[in-house]
Amino acid sequence: MDRQGKITDPSQDPQVSENFAVKIYKDMITLNILDLILYDAQRQGRISFYMTNFGEEACIGSAAGLDNEDMIFGQYREAGTLLYRGFTLDELMNQCYSNENDLGKGRQMPVHYGSKKLNFQTISSPLATQIPQASGAAYALKRAGNKNCVMCYFGEGAASEGDFHAALNIAATMKCPVIFFCRNNGFAISTPALEQYKGDGIASRGIGYGIDTIRVDGNDVWAIYNVTKAARKLAVEENRPVLIEALTYRIGHHSTSDDSSAYRPKKEVEDWKRLDNPLVRLRKWLEDKNWWNENFENEYRSSIRKEILTAFSKAEKLHKPSITELFNDVYDHPTPNIIAQRQKLKQLIEKYPNNYPLEKFKNKGKDL
């Protein structure tokens, strides 16, 4: 699509149904409003950390191009893929609040989502660790004869880590059914792409490793959808890894710990937001087909905002997980040092009860 939502090459028309297209657009709107609410919540001290997806919402198209049984290894901005697969607002809010219903049992920072039922591996903080893990998981799928692939998301900053190169080499030589999806949003936290590498983006690296590679407009949801479907076909049917480089622009700060005005002009950000907005492109495409209009827009934005705020309020009122979750699942059976640490914590709480806010935790520490 061009910036007016027109398909410039008829052969690339996605040929999708109204329900399918509207779902993707609604997920993009949901993600956008979710980011606004949770970013403000962090600024109010209600959650500890957050990362927005502003400007990169079109990556939801990649989730639509996969099979739901395909395994996903995400980085920091894959909330949209989870929403597309059915991750609920309650599950998302519970994770950001690290409460008793958090699927991760409160052990991860906010936005480090994971879902076994949705085949989404839990996100980890260290940069690029998921990339070689994805190659290994894809090799396991291949050996098992499973006709699915692995999708691995990362930013161009992660592609500067050694793990990136090891992962691509493993995938190429072992012929692993994995799709490497690089969101090149222009900034590795605060380092502009021009200062990060001298080569022509990330795509040229895939070619160097003998991997089928394509560069795509990362603000065009249908371009992303089309290339993901084609990449999946190669990965699943021929065990060929594929590298997709989606060129986009990060509208928001890297995270709530970042102030992007320190390294880029605000006008640049506003111009990108105004001139090449992924949501505006898709909305114009939908309106041209008479599948969307101003009334639908206003009604959906109002209703989903209420749903998000309801989930937000529910999650905020829940207790933190039981203190015992600090020690559970570390090993199959608790080791002597884990047992000793648990006993030591119990003794400290009993000795200094005023220093531990037990009322905030499930069971109030009584099961320790």
Side-chain angles (χ1 to χ4, degrees):
M1 292 184 290
D2 62 19
R3 292 181 179 180
Q4 303 306 312
K6 305 290 186 183
I7 301 294
T8 57
D9 180 354
S11 70
Q12 295 300 310
D13 190 302
Q15 300 293 331
V16 295
S17 68
E18 178 178 354
N19 288 341
F20 182 82
V22 169
K23 172 185 165 40
I24 291 176
Y25 183 61
K26 284 182 174 180
D27 286 342
M28 290 169 71
I29 292 176
T30 301
L31 182 62
N32 193 258
I33 296 175
L34 194 68
D35 281 347
L36 288 168
I37 290 172
L38 285 173
Y39 183 86
D40 287 346
Q42 192 281 333
R43 287 296 187 244
Q44 295 164 5
R46 299 166 84 166
I47 60 174
S48 62
F49 179 80
Y50 195 69
M51 302 181 83
T52 64
N53 302 269
F54 299 134
E56 301 178 50
E57 296 91 348
C59 286
I60 289 177
S62 61
L66 298 172
D67 183 274
N68 285 340
E69 296 302 312
D70 294 334
M71 181 62 69
I72 291 177
F73 285 76
Q75 194 170 359
Y76 310 136
R77 304 186 204 280
E78 272 64 65
T81 65
L82 273 167
L83 285 173
Y84 182 84
R85 283 201 170 182
F87 204 60
T88 68
L89 293 175
D90 284 334
E91 288 173 327
L92 195 145
M93 290 296 179
N94 291 336
Q95 197 284 325
C96 286
Y97 270 103
S98 297
N99 64 32
E100 61 185 292
N101 288 342
D102 172 20
L103 295 176
K105 302 182 180 180
R107 295 167 176 164
Q108 286 276 18
M109 293 170 62
V111 307
H112 288 51
Y113 310 110
S115 175
K116 184 177 180 179
K117 70 178 179 181
L118 298 179
N119 297 303
F120 190 102
Q121 292 283 342
T122 301
I123 295 166
S124 54
S125 293
L127 193 63
T129 55
Q130 77 277 13
I131 311 178
Q133 292 167 3
S135 293
Y139 184 59
L141 289 180
K142 174 186 172 182
R143 292 197 61 179
N146 188 314
K147 289 302 180 182
N148 284 100
C149 68
V150 172
M151 169 66 96
C152 181
Y153 294 94
F154 53 93
E156 84 287 349
S160 292
E161 293 284 336
D163 281 352
F164 168 83
H165 298 279
L168 264 65
N169 192 53
I170 292 168
T173 56
M174 305 304 291
K175 299 180 180 179
C176 303
V178 56
I179 304 170
F180 299 106
F181 192 101
C182 176
R183 291 177 284 92
N184 190 340
N185 63 24
F187 298 92
I189 303 184
S190 59
T191 306
L194 288 175
E195 296 178 16
Q196 189 185 159
Y197 51 77
K198 292 299 182 183
D200 180 20
I202 307 303
S204 58
R205 303 181 195 180
I207 296 169
Y209 280 108
I211 291 177
D212 293 285
T213 303
I214 188 166
R215 178 176 285 161
V216 66
D217 182 344
N219 289 358
D220 181 347
V221 69
W222 295 133
I224 291 174
Y225 170 69
N226 285 346
V227 300
T228 303
K229 283 204 308 178
R232 185 182 185 277
K233 184 177 176 67
L234 286 176
V236 172
E237 295 182 5
E238 302 182 37
N239 287 319
R240 288 161 63 181
V242 181
L243 172 63
I244 298 171
E245 181 182 18
L247 296 177
T248 181
Y249 187 87
R250 194 190 78 215
I251 297 298
H253 306 296
H254 173 72
S255 72
T256 49
S257 302
D258 173 46
D259 177 8
S260 65
S261 65
Y263 53 83
R264 61 182 182 177
K266 291 183 179 179
K267 185 179 184 302
E268 175 182 305
V269 178
E270 289 302 317
D271 286 348
W272 271 95
K273 184 177 180 180
R274 176 173 51 86
L275 295 173
D276 195 9
N277 189 310
L279 281 89
V280 173
R281 275 207 213 184
L282 183 54
R283 179 178 174 178
K284 288 180 176 179
W285 183 87
L286 289 168
E287 288 176 341
D288 283 347
K289 291 182 170 291
N290 294 316
W291 290 353
W292 199 255
N293 56 45
E294 188 69 21
N295 287 336
F296 291 163
E297 182 84 11
N298 293 336
E299 287 174 7
Y300 185 72
R301 284 185 174 274
S302 177
S303 64
I304 196 62
R305 181 178 174 80
K306 289 177 182 176
E307 289 182 33
I308 292 171
L309 288 173
T310 297
F312 178 91
S313 180
K314 283 165 57 180
E316 191 173 35
K317 293 173 183 175
L318 292 172
H319 285 98
K320 296 294 182 184
S322 169
I323 296 174
T324 58
E325 296 297 357
L326 283 169
F327 309 100
N328 296 338
D329 308 326
V330 180
Y331 297 98
D332 187 24
H333 298 288
T335 56
N337 65 317
I338 290 289
I339 294 171
Q341 288 172 12
R342 181 169 174 168
Q343 185 62 29
K344 182 66 174 178
L345 178 59
K346 183 178 181 180
Q347 292 169 359
L348 283 170
I349 290 174
E350 290 172 348
K351 188 174 182 179
Y352 303 105
N354 295 332
N355 291 7
Y356 293 87
L358 296 180
E359 70 280 356
K360 295 182 180 180
F361 292 84
K362 183 180 179 181
N363 301 320
K364 300 181 179 180
K366 294 177 180 178
D367 55 347
L368 189 60

